[in-house]
Amino acid sequence: MIKQEEVYKIGRLGKAHGVKGEVSFQFDDDVFDRVDADYLVLDIDGILVPFFMEEYRFRNDTVCLVKFCDIDTQQRAQELTGCDVYFPRALAEEAEEVPSLASLVGFDIIDISNGKTIGRIAAIDDSTVNILFELEDGTLIPASDELIETIDGTSHTITMHLPEGLLDL
């Protein structure tokens, strides 16, 4: 059984495309293309299920069409519409030197000055040039390279130099 902490969200499936079982896939992270992965993990009614890919082709920088094994009709593809798509952390970590932003969701942020855990990353706000880590309690932390000391994929922690007073805002 796949556990939530073993994967991270990379996108969402859209509508069926054509009659042979293809489905549109809007993604935030193209790790599935950079890493040699045979499958993606879909959230089907709260259960994480691996789906093996036969093929995929890009429509643009954020959308591709995916053909999953054993999904060979438009009706079967429509059943997958709206499913969140996840990628295994282990595959991403072994293949990449620098983790993608999306893979950092679920990591704990540690303040290097006192060693205390500030909170867990719930989302990444990359809607502006200044990327922010959004913590579960709503706190926003700048995701600046200058502030990040280390990223530990094994313990799922990010150690940061947090400017004095940042958490008081």
Side-chain angles (χ1 to χ4, degrees):
M1 183 168 175
I2 300 172
K3 297 179 181 162
Q4 189 70 39
E5 56 271 6
E6 296 172 346
V7 295
Y8 66 96
K9 185 177 175 182
I10 61 169
R12 187 177 190 89
L13 294 182
K15 296 189 280 185
H17 181 81
V19 295
K20 297 187 179 181
E22 280 186 316
V23 63
S24 66
F25 169 35
Q26 184 162 4
F27 56 89
D28 301 320
D29 187 345
D30 66 352
V31 66
F32 64 95
D33 188 48
R34 295 189 318 267
V35 175
D36 187 23
D38 298 329
Y39 67 96
L40 297 173
V41 179
L42 305 184
D43 184 341
I44 308 289
D45 297 327
I47 299 171
L48 298 173
V49 181
F51 276 76
F52 287 86
M53 297 181 286
E54 279 184 25
E55 61 184 3
Y56 60 88
R57 56 193 164 106
F58 289 93
R59 304 266 326 243
N60 58 43
D61 289 344
T62 60
V63 176
C64 72
L65 298 176
V66 179
K67 172 73 174 78
F68 291 109
C69 295
D70 300 324
I71 305 295
D72 51 8
T73 65
Q74 184 178 17
Q75 291 77 20
R76 298 274 323 269
Q78 285 174 336
E79 294 171 7
L80 301 177
T81 297
C83 288
D84 288 333
V85 180
Y86 294 85
F87 195 79
R89 287 185 189 275
L91 288 178
E93 290 167 0
E94 73 185 29
E96 296 181 348
E97 291 179 21
V98 178
S100 66
L101 284 173
S103 70
L104 299 178
V105 172
F107 276 49
D108 289 324
I109 293 184
I110 298 172
D111 186 350
I112 198 167
S113 67
N114 59 20
K116 292 184 179 179
T117 300
I118 303 305
R120 179 163 288 157
I121 299 173
I124 307 291
D125 181 353
D126 60 356
S127 61
T128 65
V129 176
N130 298 317
I131 298 170
L132 299 169
F133 294 135
E134 184 178 332
L135 303 185
E136 290 175 341
D137 67 359
T139 303
L140 298 174
I141 305 287
S144 169
D145 289 340
E146 293 82 33
L147 299 178
I148 297 173
E149 178 69 24
T150 60
I151 298 175
D152 186 340
T154 305
S155 65
H156 294 106
T157 60
I158 301 173
T159 304
M160 298 183 72
H161 296 279
L162 298 176
E164 185 144 345
L166 177 71
L167 300 175
D168 298 330
L169 297 174

PDB file of all heavy atoms in Angstrom, residues 1 28 30 32 39 43 57 63-64 66 71 75 82 88 93 98 108 111 116 122 151 163 165:
ATOM      1  N   MET A   1       0.837  -1.175   0.000  1.00  0.00           N
ATOM      2  CA  MET A   1       0.000   0.000   0.000  1.00  0.00           C
ATOM      3  C   MET A   1       0.887   1.245   0.000  1.00  0.00           C
ATOM      4  O   MET A   1       1.837   1.344   0.765  1.00  0.00           O
ATOM      5  CB  MET A   1      -0.911  -0.011   1.219  1.00  0.00           C
ATOM      6  CG  MET A   1      -1.865   1.115   1.264  1.00  0.00           C
ATOM      7  SD  MET A   1      -3.086   0.779   2.557  1.00  0.00           S
ATOM      8  CE  MET A   1      -3.970   2.283   2.496  1.00  0.00           C
ATOM      9  N   ASP A  28       2.393  20.395 -12.479  1.00  0.00           N
ATOM     10  CA  ASP A  28       3.202  21.478 -11.929  1.00  0.00           C
ATOM     11  C   ASP A  28       4.681  21.118 -11.964  1.00  0.00           C
ATOM     12  O   ASP A  28       5.537  21.980 -11.855  1.00  0.00           O
ATOM     13  CB  ASP A  28       2.825  21.752 -10.463  1.00  0.00           C
ATOM     14  CG  ASP A  28       1.368  22.124 -10.312  1.00  0.00           C
ATOM     15  OD1 ASP A  28       0.852  22.863 -11.166  1.00  0.00           O
ATOM     16  OD2 ASP A  28       0.740  21.670  -9.338  1.00  0.00           O
ATOM     17  N   ASP A  30       7.434  18.405 -13.999  1.00  0.00           N
ATOM     18  CA  ASP A  30       7.605  17.425 -15.081  1.00  0.00           C
ATOM     19  C   ASP A  30       8.597  16.326 -14.700  1.00  0.00           C
ATOM     20  O   ASP A  30       9.240  15.731 -15.553  1.00  0.00           O
ATOM     21  CB  ASP A  30       8.024  18.113 -16.374  1.00  0.00           C
ATOM     22  CG  ASP A  30       9.406  18.746 -16.286  1.00  0.00           C
ATOM     23  OD1 ASP A  30       9.980  18.794 -15.178  1.00  0.00           O
ATOM     24  OD2 ASP A  30       9.912  19.194 -17.332  1.00  0.00           O
ATOM     25  N   PHE A  32       8.160  13.344 -13.988  1.00  0.00           N
ATOM     26  CA  PHE A  32       7.862  12.073 -14.653  1.00  0.00           C
ATOM     27  C   PHE A  32       8.590  11.964 -15.990  1.00  0.00           C
ATOM     28  O   PHE A  32       8.851  10.867 -16.481  1.00  0.00           O
ATOM     29  CB  PHE A  32       6.351  11.890 -14.850  1.00  0.00           C
ATOM     30  CG  PHE A  32       5.732  12.911 -15.766  1.00  0.00           C
ATOM     31  CD1 PHE A  32       5.546  12.642 -17.105  1.00  0.00           C
ATOM     32  CD2 PHE A  32       5.329  14.149 -15.282  1.00  0.00           C
ATOM     33  CE1 PHE A  32       4.984  13.589 -17.956  1.00  0.00           C
ATOM     34  CE2 PHE A  32       4.765  15.095 -16.107  1.00  0.00           C
ATOM     35  CZ  PHE A  32       4.595  14.815 -17.463  1.00  0.00           C
ATOM     36  N   TYR A  39       5.393   4.644 -14.041  1.00  0.00           N
ATOM     37  CA  TYR A  39       4.041   4.822 -13.510  1.00  0.00           C
ATOM     38  C   TYR A  39       3.883   6.153 -12.796  1.00  0.00           C
ATOM     39  O   TYR A  39       4.848   6.799 -12.404  1.00  0.00           O
ATOM     40  CB  TYR A  39       3.684   3.682 -12.552  1.00  0.00           C
ATOM     41  CG  TYR A  39       4.498   3.664 -11.285  1.00  0.00           C
ATOM     42  CD1 TYR A  39       4.003   4.254 -10.125  1.00  0.00           C
ATOM     43  CD2 TYR A  39       5.747   3.063 -11.231  1.00  0.00           C
ATOM     44  CE1 TYR A  39       4.737   4.241  -8.951  1.00  0.00           C
ATOM     45  CE2 TYR A  39       6.485   3.050 -10.062  1.00  0.00           C
ATOM     46  CZ  TYR A  39       5.982   3.637  -8.932  1.00  0.00           C
ATOM     47  OH  TYR A  39       6.713   3.630  -7.769  1.00  0.00           O
ATOM     48  N   ASP A  43      -4.837   9.345  -7.010  1.00  0.00           N
ATOM     49  CA  ASP A  43      -5.689   9.279  -5.823  1.00  0.00           C
ATOM     50  C   ASP A  43      -7.087   8.907  -6.297  1.00  0.00           C
ATOM     51  O   ASP A  43      -7.801   9.714  -6.867  1.00  0.00           O
ATOM     52  CB  ASP A  43      -5.701  10.628  -5.119  1.00  0.00           C
ATOM     53  CG  ASP A  43      -6.500  10.611  -3.824  1.00  0.00           C
ATOM     54  OD1 ASP A  43      -7.333   9.702  -3.630  1.00  0.00           O
ATOM     55  OD2 ASP A  43      -6.297  11.519  -3.005  1.00  0.00           O
ATOM     56  N   ARG A  57       2.495  12.447 -24.386  1.00  0.00           N
ATOM     57  CA  ARG A  57       3.006  13.456 -25.317  1.00  0.00           C
ATOM     58  C   ARG A  57       2.597  14.825 -24.801  1.00  0.00           C
ATOM     59  O   ARG A  57       1.496  15.011 -24.295  1.00  0.00           O
ATOM     60  CB  ARG A  57       2.517  13.209 -26.736  1.00  0.00           C
ATOM     61  CG  ARG A  57       1.025  13.139 -26.885  1.00  0.00           C
ATOM     62  CD  ARG A  57       0.625  12.582 -28.264  1.00  0.00           C
ATOM     63  NE  ARG A  57      -0.757  12.182 -28.262  1.00  0.00           N
ATOM     64  CZ  ARG A  57      -1.726  12.859 -28.858  1.00  0.00           C
ATOM     65  NH1 ARG A  57      -1.444  13.950 -29.529  1.00  0.00           N
ATOM     66  NH2 ARG A  57      -2.963  12.435 -28.788  1.00  0.00           N
ATOM     67  N   VAL A  63       0.806  20.862 -19.802  1.00  0.00           N
ATOM     68  CA  VAL A  63      -0.222  19.859 -20.099  1.00  0.00           C
ATOM     69  C   VAL A  63       0.345  18.803 -21.048  1.00  0.00           C
ATOM     70  O   VAL A  63       1.039  19.127 -22.013  1.00  0.00           O
ATOM     71  CB  VAL A  63      -1.468  20.502 -20.760  1.00  0.00           C
ATOM     72  CG1 VAL A  63      -2.492  19.443 -21.143  1.00  0.00           C
ATOM     73  CG2 VAL A  63      -2.089  21.537 -19.838  1.00  0.00           C
ATOM     74  N   CYS A  64       0.045  17.553 -20.727  1.00  0.00           N
ATOM     75  CA  CYS A  64       0.380  16.479 -21.652  1.00  0.00           C
ATOM     76  C   CYS A  64      -0.808  15.521 -21.732  1.00  0.00           C
ATOM     77  O   CYS A  64      -1.728  15.579 -20.908  1.00  0.00           O
ATOM     78  CB  CYS A  64       1.658  15.755 -21.240  1.00  0.00           C
ATOM     79  SG  CYS A  64       1.547  14.708 -19.796  1.00  0.00           S
ATOM     80  N   VAL A  66      -1.796  11.605 -21.601  1.00  0.00           N
ATOM     81  CA  VAL A  66      -1.251  10.356 -21.077  1.00  0.00           C
ATOM     82  C   VAL A  66      -2.159   9.201 -21.478  1.00  0.00           C
ATOM     83  O   VAL A  66      -3.386   9.296 -21.397  1.00  0.00           O
ATOM     84  CB  VAL A  66      -1.142  10.391 -19.531  1.00  0.00           C
ATOM     85  CG1 VAL A  66      -0.601   9.084 -18.988  1.00  0.00           C
ATOM     86  CG2 VAL A  66      -0.283  11.543 -19.080  1.00  0.00           C
ATOM     87  N   ILE A  71      -6.353   1.274 -19.840  1.00  0.00           N
ATOM     88  CA  ILE A  71      -7.383   2.311 -19.993  1.00  0.00           C
ATOM     89  C   ILE A  71      -7.479   2.529 -21.495  1.00  0.00           C
ATOM     90  O   ILE A  71      -6.670   3.247 -22.088  1.00  0.00           O
ATOM     91  CB  ILE A  71      -7.000   3.626 -19.266  1.00  0.00           C
ATOM     92  CG1 ILE A  71      -6.697   3.381 -17.801  1.00  0.00           C
ATOM     93  CG2 ILE A  71      -8.092   4.673 -19.451  1.00  0.00           C
ATOM     94  CD1 ILE A  71      -7.869   2.911 -16.961  1.00  0.00           C
ATOM     95  N   GLN A  75     -14.691   6.039 -22.025  1.00  0.00           N
ATOM     96  CA  GLN A  75     -15.434   5.891 -20.777  1.00  0.00           C
ATOM     97  C   GLN A  75     -14.484   5.593 -19.606  1.00  0.00           C
ATOM     98  O   GLN A  75     -14.644   6.143 -18.515  1.00  0.00           O
ATOM     99  CB  GLN A  75     -16.493   4.784 -20.885  1.00  0.00           C
ATOM    100  CG  GLN A  75     -17.645   5.110 -21.806  1.00  0.00           C
ATOM    101  CD  GLN A  75     -17.276   4.973 -23.291  1.00  0.00           C
ATOM    102  OE1 GLN A  75     -16.306   4.309 -23.659  1.00  0.00           O
ATOM    103  NE2 GLN A  75     -18.038   5.632 -24.156  1.00  0.00           N
ATOM    104  N   GLY A  82     -10.302  14.391 -12.944  1.00  0.00           N
ATOM    105  CA  GLY A  82     -10.285  15.052 -11.640  1.00  0.00           C
ATOM    106  C   GLY A  82      -9.393  14.399 -10.605  1.00  0.00           C
ATOM    107  O   GLY A  82      -9.243  14.930  -9.503  1.00  0.00           O
ATOM    108  N   PRO A  88       6.357   9.220  -6.798  1.00  0.00           N
ATOM    109  CA  PRO A  88       7.101   8.659  -5.660  1.00  0.00           C
ATOM    110  C   PRO A  88       8.334   9.502  -5.314  1.00  0.00           C
ATOM    111  O   PRO A  88       9.151   9.799  -6.180  1.00  0.00           O
ATOM    112  CB  PRO A  88       7.526   7.276  -6.158  1.00  0.00           C
ATOM    113  CG  PRO A  88       6.650   6.988  -7.316  1.00  0.00           C
ATOM    114  CD  PRO A  88       6.291   8.297  -7.924  1.00  0.00           C
ATOM    115  N   GLU A  93      14.109  11.518  -5.685  1.00  0.00           N
ATOM    116  CA  GLU A  93      15.304  11.825  -4.902  1.00  0.00           C
ATOM    117  C   GLU A  93      16.537  11.108  -5.415  1.00  0.00           C
ATOM    118  O   GLU A  93      17.632  11.664  -5.403  1.00  0.00           O
ATOM    119  CB  GLU A  93      15.067  11.500  -3.427  1.00  0.00           C
ATOM    120  CG  GLU A  93      14.091  12.449  -2.777  1.00  0.00           C
ATOM    121  CD  GLU A  93      13.599  11.993  -1.417  1.00  0.00           C
ATOM    122  OE1 GLU A  93      14.021  10.903  -0.948  1.00  0.00           O
ATOM    123  OE2 GLU A  93      12.786  12.717  -0.830  1.00  0.00           O
ATOM    124  N   VAL A  98      19.035  18.299  -7.208  1.00  0.00           N
ATOM    125  CA  VAL A  98      18.277  19.373  -6.586  1.00  0.00           C
ATOM    126  C   VAL A  98      16.801  19.014  -6.654  1.00  0.00           C
ATOM    127  O   VAL A  98      16.270  18.780  -7.731  1.00  0.00           O
ATOM    128  CB  VAL A  98      18.517  20.713  -7.317  1.00  0.00           C
ATOM    129  CG1 VAL A  98      17.691  21.818  -6.701  1.00  0.00           C
ATOM    130  CG2 VAL A  98      19.998  21.063  -7.308  1.00  0.00           C
ATOM    131  N   ASP A 108       9.525  19.596   6.802  1.00  0.00           N
ATOM    132  CA  ASP A 108       9.527  20.482   7.968  1.00  0.00           C
ATOM    133  C   ASP A 108      10.621  21.529   7.786  1.00  0.00           C
ATOM    134  O   ASP A 108      11.717  21.216   7.318  1.00  0.00           O
ATOM    135  CB  ASP A 108       9.800  19.699   9.253  1.00  0.00           C
ATOM    136  CG  ASP A 108       8.639  18.810   9.653  1.00  0.00           C
ATOM    137  OD1 ASP A 108       7.488  19.217   9.443  1.00  0.00           O
ATOM    138  OD2 ASP A 108       8.896  17.709  10.174  1.00  0.00           O
ATOM    139  N   ASP A 111      14.640  26.209  11.924  1.00  0.00           N
ATOM    140  CA  ASP A 111      15.397  27.453  12.069  1.00  0.00           C
ATOM    141  C   ASP A 111      16.795  27.095  12.552  1.00  0.00           C
ATOM    142  O   ASP A 111      16.962  26.517  13.631  1.00  0.00           O
ATOM    143  CB  ASP A 111      14.692  28.373  13.065  1.00  0.00           C
ATOM    144  CG  ASP A 111      15.332  29.743  13.175  1.00  0.00           C
ATOM    145  OD1 ASP A 111      16.438  29.951  12.622  1.00  0.00           O
ATOM    146  OD2 ASP A 111      14.719  30.611  13.820  1.00  0.00           O
ATOM    147  N   LYS A 116      14.898  24.717  16.174  1.00  0.00           N
ATOM    148  CA  LYS A 116      13.477  24.403  16.365  1.00  0.00           C
ATOM    149  C   LYS A 116      12.753  24.264  15.024  1.00  0.00           C
ATOM    150  O   LYS A 116      13.055  24.975  14.071  1.00  0.00           O
ATOM    151  CB  LYS A 116      12.787  25.479  17.196  1.00  0.00           C
ATOM    152  CG  LYS A 116      13.249  25.516  18.634  1.00  0.00           C
ATOM    153  CD  LYS A 116      12.465  26.523  19.421  1.00  0.00           C
ATOM    154  CE  LYS A 116      12.931  26.528  20.876  1.00  0.00           C
ATOM    155  NZ  LYS A 116      12.203  27.503  21.664  1.00  0.00           N
ATOM    156  N   ALA A 122       2.844  23.184   3.567  1.00  0.00           N
ATOM    157  CA  ALA A 122       1.554  22.692   3.064  1.00  0.00           C
ATOM    158  C   ALA A 122       1.422  22.945   1.568  1.00  0.00           C
ATOM    159  O   ALA A 122       0.739  22.199   0.865  1.00  0.00           O
ATOM    160  CB  ALA A 122       0.405  23.368   3.801  1.00  0.00           C
ATOM    161  N   ILE A 151      18.851  20.939   2.499  1.00  0.00           N
ATOM    162  CA  ILE A 151      17.609  20.210   2.250  1.00  0.00           C
ATOM    163  C   ILE A 151      17.953  18.742   2.421  1.00  0.00           C
ATOM    164  O   ILE A 151      18.812  18.215   1.722  1.00  0.00           O
ATOM    165  CB  ILE A 151      17.065  20.470   0.827  1.00  0.00           C
ATOM    166  CG1 ILE A 151      16.735  21.949   0.643  1.00  0.00           C
ATOM    167  CG2 ILE A 151      15.840  19.600   0.562  1.00  0.00           C
ATOM    168  CD1 ILE A 151      16.316  22.328  -0.769  1.00  0.00           C
ATOM    169  N   PRO A 163      15.439  35.332   8.869  1.00  0.00           N
ATOM    170  CA  PRO A 163      15.731  36.677   9.366  1.00  0.00           C
ATOM    171  C   PRO A 163      14.975  36.952  10.672  1.00  0.00           C
ATOM    172  O   PRO A 163      13.827  36.519  10.840  1.00  0.00           O
ATOM    173  CB  PRO A 163      15.217  37.595   8.267  1.00  0.00           C
ATOM    174  CG  PRO A 163      15.140  36.752   7.047  1.00  0.00           C
ATOM    175  CD  PRO A 163      14.871  35.351   7.535  1.00  0.00           C
ATOM    176  N   GLY A 165      12.697  38.360  13.337  1.00  0.00           N
ATOM    177  CA  GLY A 165      11.408  39.047  13.253  1.00  0.00           C
ATOM    178  C   GLY A 165      10.496  38.530  12.166  1.00  0.00           C
ATOM    179  O   GLY A 165       9.326  38.914  12.112  1.00  0.00           O
TER     180      GLY A 165
END
